[in-house]
Amino acid sequence: MRLLFEWKFLLLEGGKVMYAEILSDKLNSLKESGQYREFVTINRICGQYPLAKLNGKEDEQSVVVWCSNDYLGMSQHPVVTAAMHDAIRLYGAGSGGSRNIGGTHYHYTLLESSLADWHGKETALVFPTGYSSNDATLQCLLRLFPNCIVFSDELNHASIINGIRSAKADRAIFRHNDVDHLEELLASQPRNRAKIIVFESIYSMDGDIAPIEKITNLASKYNALTFLDEVHAIGMYGPRGAGMAAELGVADRIDIIQGTMAKAIGVIGGYIASSALLIDAVRSFASGFIFTTSLPPAVVAACYASVEYLKSSDKERKELHRKTIMLRETLTQAGIPVMQSSETHILPVLIGDAKKCKAAAQRLLEKHKIYLQPINSPTVPIGTERFRVNVTPNHTEEQILQLTDALKEVFHYFDIPFAQSAADVYA
């Protein structure tokens, strides 16, 4: 009996070795290609953004962060931090449960009403993250509408892709921002078939803007719903910072606007804004919403304070756009290849090689005290590896010049091609 037990144990252990070898091979493949990701510990200094400490030591030299999604520095704004402190003092740290079971506290009513007002919609629904608001909503709607087909831009975010793939609905992928291709796909379907067009207003890796108005025209023509991800636009574009659709005057023609509170708003959380009927359906049927713990009162209170502030203040927006122009011009004059796709505050700097991109980021950090995260495949196509650079209202002109000089030194050091002309920059 004991021999039989030992034999089974050895067999089991041998089987486990097989799994370990598979995982090791996969990870080694990433490392060899330069696509292996490593965490960089960045301890941002409250009140001194964009400065941060790598290890939190007081005597350590600060680094300058150039790739944060905290686009307007609202994470450290006194209005936001005060609201968070007050909520912790009154309600404690956690929410206590899901929205349906004890987790719908007072601040949710304020925040969801504020978000609906921001986008000119009947109501809004808040999720724990921007990822989950995309994922859960799309899964839900694609399951609720019989025989639904979804039309998705080929460069849509992973959260959108996952939400679509998790449902059994048919899907058609249209070429990035190509309205002619989208129309071909729409025209091939019966008018009375349920359809959802899913796209983003600003694409975070290229910095380009979708043809929003043209897509809404197609949606009207072919009887489709529109789902617009505005996460990289809200707070920074449009009247009161309501986003790119509002900037273009077509927000009322978008059926579902999705946003996040982890970027320009400076905290965390996601949401959708739409008709009361659609929001009620998602609230009632989306498993990704129903079966998750809600955001704590302190987080929701901070989000509300930030949104309300950004509705009334355009100081941060104006400064962001002014410094974006300055940074773009400075980089261009230095021959740093800012990709031609960029029309917004997101300035992708082309490196074009995964290993060089990673090594350049390391040199920027160690030699120049500048933090830029290498963006490699699968986030972007192989051969288009890049730095995703964005300035904030808090960056100084001196820091802009420092970044430019540091990039020039690193480009020379690793023999990364400079932009000789517009044609040399990947479009």
Side-chain angles (χ1 to χ4, degrees):
M1 180 65 72
R2 183 176 177 180
L3 287 173
L4 180 61
F5 172 79
E6 289 178 350
W7 178 80
K8 286 184 177 179
F9 177 78
L10 289 171
L11 184 64
L12 179 63
E13 287 299 299
K16 287 184 178 178
V17 169
M18 175 188 74
Y19 296 115
E21 288 176 348
I22 292 171
L23 296 178
S24 294
D25 288 345
K26 295 289 185 182
L27 290 170
N28 287 334
S29 177
L30 279 181
K31 292 174 181 177
E32 290 170 5
S33 66
Q35 296 169 341
Y36 181 73
R37 291 175 169 88
E38 296 178 87
F39 291 143
V40 177
T41 301
I42 294 290
N43 298 301
R44 300 196 300 163
I45 307 168
C46 187
Q48 297 183 46
Y49 180 73
L51 298 183
K53 301 281 190 181
L54 292 182
N55 299 302
K57 297 177 182 177
E58 289 298 321
D59 59 347
E60 182 184 47
Q61 185 179 347
S62 300
V63 301
V64 183
V65 178
W66 278 101
C67 55
S68 172
N69 285 332
D70 188 7
Y71 291 135
L72 299 176
M74 290 302 296
S75 68
Q76 302 186 13
H77 196 286
V79 168
V80 177
T81 56
M84 181 171 275
H85 279 293
D86 289 344
I88 289 176
R89 179 175 53 81
L90 289 170
Y91 305 111
S95 72
S98 67
R99 289 291 297 275
N100 289 315
I101 306 176
T104 301
H105 44 78
Y106 163 71
H107 290 286
Y108 266 111
T109 301
L110 294 175
L111 178 58
E112 289 174 342
S113 295
S114 179
L115 291 169
D117 166 72
W118 212 14
H119 296 294
K121 301 300 181 187
E122 290 181 342
T123 190
L125 189 67
V126 168
F127 292 74
T129 66
Y131 189 106
S132 63
S133 56
N134 270 335
D135 186 34
T137 300
L138 288 169
Q139 284 190 50
C140 176
L141 294 178
L142 293 174
R143 289 167 180 166
L144 287 179
F145 295 125
N147 192 33
C148 188
I149 180 169
V150 60
F151 301 84
S152 178
D153 188 289
E154 66 177 341
L155 294 188
N156 276 339
H157 189 263
S159 57
I160 292 173
I161 295 169
N162 194 69
I164 291 171
R165 286 178 175 173
S166 298
K168 294 181 179 178
D170 291 340
R171 55 185 180 266
I173 311 302
F174 61 93
R175 291 187 293 271
H176 180 52
N177 284 347
D178 189 334
V179 289
D180 292 331
H181 187 215
L182 174 59
E183 181 163 24
E184 287 177 23
L185 296 172
L186 286 165
S188 69
Q189 300 298 321
R191 179 174 174 77
N192 62 354
R193 185 179 186 183
K195 310 175 195 71
I196 303 176
I197 304 170
V198 185
F199 62 112
E200 302 179 34
S201 59
I202 294 176
Y203 287 83
S204 65
M205 290 300 126
D206 293 326
D208 56 339
I209 302 170
I212 301 173
E213 185 171 9
K214 291 180 180 179
I215 291 176
T216 61
N217 290 340
L218 290 179
S220 299
K221 182 177 180 180
Y222 292 100
N223 190 32
L225 292 178
T226 47
F227 183 108
L228 177 62
D229 179 322
E230 286 260 45
V231 298
H232 293 280
I234 58 166
M236 296 167 289
Y237 299 89
R240 302 191 301 164
M244 191 56 68
E247 172 93 2
L248 300 172
V250 296
D252 60 325
R253 300 179 61 192
I254 302 294
D255 296 293
I256 307 144
I257 291 177
Q258 182 269 348
T260 184
M261 291 164 292
K263 294 182 171 59
I265 295 171
V267 195
I268 193 171
Y271 65 88
I272 55 171
S274 187
S275 67
L277 179 64
L278 189 142
I279 293 292
D280 196 22
V282 173
R283 183 188 69 83
S284 300
F285 291 103
S287 59
F289 172 81
I290 295 169
F291 298 106
T292 191
T293 301
S294 70
L295 290 172
V299 169
V300 180
C303 290
Y304 173 70
S306 184
V307 170
E308 286 295 298
Y309 176 86
L310 289 173
K311 284 181 181 180
S312 61
S313 173
D314 62 0
K315 179 180 70 174
E316 291 78 12
R317 284 188 285 280
K318 286 181 177 179
E319 192 67 358
L320 169 74
H321 298 311
R322 183 182 77 84
K323 288 183 175 173
T324 296
I325 292 171
M326 182 187 304
L327 176 59
R328 187 188 296 274
E329 290 176 350
T330 304
L331 293 176
T332 301
Q333 290 169 6
I336 302 299
V338 177
M339 293 168 60
Q340 294 294 301
S341 58
S342 173
E343 309 170 70
T344 61
H345 62 285
I346 297 168
L347 305 181
V349 170
L350 182 67
I351 305 299
D353 179 280
K355 291 182 179 179
K356 286 186 178 181
C357 195
K358 188 173 181 179
Q362 190 67 31
R363 184 169 178 85
L364 283 169
L365 192 61
E366 294 176 352
K367 180 177 175 61
H368 299 284
K369 302 302 177 184
I370 285 173
Y371 173 56
L372 273 173
Q373 185 65 29
I375 308 294
N376 292 336
S377 173
T379 306
V380 296
I382 293 173
T384 70
E385 293 82 2
R386 67 198 70 171
F387 293 135
R388 178 183 171 277
V389 182
N390 54 276
V391 72
T392 73
N394 306 70
H395 285 89
T396 66
E397 294 183 18
E398 182 183 358
Q399 288 168 340
I400 289 174
L401 295 175
Q402 178 203 12
L403 170 67
T404 304
D405 289 341
L407 284 170
K408 285 166 62 178
E409 190 277 333
V410 166
F411 268 60
H412 281 298
Y413 187 86
F414 290 105
D415 194 27
I416 299 168
F418 283 82
Q420 300 302 320
S421 68
D424 292 332
V425 183
Y426 177 86

